[in-house]
Amino acid sequence: MGGNKDTVTIWHNPRCGNSRGALQLLRERGIEPVVVDYLANPPDRATLLEVATDSSVGLRGLVREKEAVFAGLGLADADDDTLLDAMLAHPILINRPVVITARGTRLCRPPEKVLELLD
């Protein structure tokens, strides 16, 4: 889901203000990223693990704790394997936006974090 070394990829949810903001910042800088609707096309296990590691936030940092399904599944004290399984089964649990570039991978909350990958 990352692409080649020159590709900028964003895991995007158009309903999310942070995701829209990061996408706008990229486009304002002349970058047209590969936009991945991760809800319709979720990452596989290996990709999700790679992004969790590369972004330095880990699986716990990539999970959306405010989603109702998080509480419904009782994930507050879950281990990484359980979190990973839940995120794969329920992609809405994946935090966004994630931006993947040759310079690194970031969870761009707030959206301005994308700028760390551009300069």
Side-chain angles (χ1 to χ4, degrees):
M1 273 191 152
N4 71 40
K5 67 180 179 105
D6 297 322
T7 301
V8 174
T9 300
I10 183 170
W11 292 3
H12 181 60
N13 178 344
R15 296 181 63 200
C16 172
N18 284 315
S19 195
R20 290 190 309 269
L23 182 58
Q24 179 180 346
L25 286 169
L26 288 168
R27 288 178 170 160
E28 285 173 355
R29 282 150 182 83
I31 298 167
E32 186 53 45
V34 174
V35 178
V36 176
D37 178 346
Y38 71 94
L39 295 174
N41 300 296
D44 61 22
R45 185 178 210 87
T47 302
L48 193 52
L49 282 170
E50 181 180 351
V51 165
T53 299
D54 291 352
S55 66
S56 300
V57 298
L59 286 170
R60 180 71 54 186
L62 279 183
V63 72
R64 290 186 51 79
E65 296 181 355
K66 294 180 181 180
E67 289 296 330
V69 70
F70 181 87
L73 293 173
L75 297 174
D77 295 319
D79 62 19
D80 280 357
D81 284 334
T82 303
L83 286 177
L84 182 58
D85 290 342
M87 293 163 79
L88 293 168
H90 306 278
I92 193 69
L93 287 171
I94 301 171
N95 217 340
R96 73 272 178 167
V98 170
V99 177
I100 304 162
T101 74
R103 294 197 62 196
T105 299
R106 296 281 186 285
L107 173 62
C108 294
R109 296 180 74 84
E112 291 78 17
K113 284 188 84 71
V114 74
L115 300 176
E116 297 172 6
L117 298 169
L118 303 181
D119 297 325

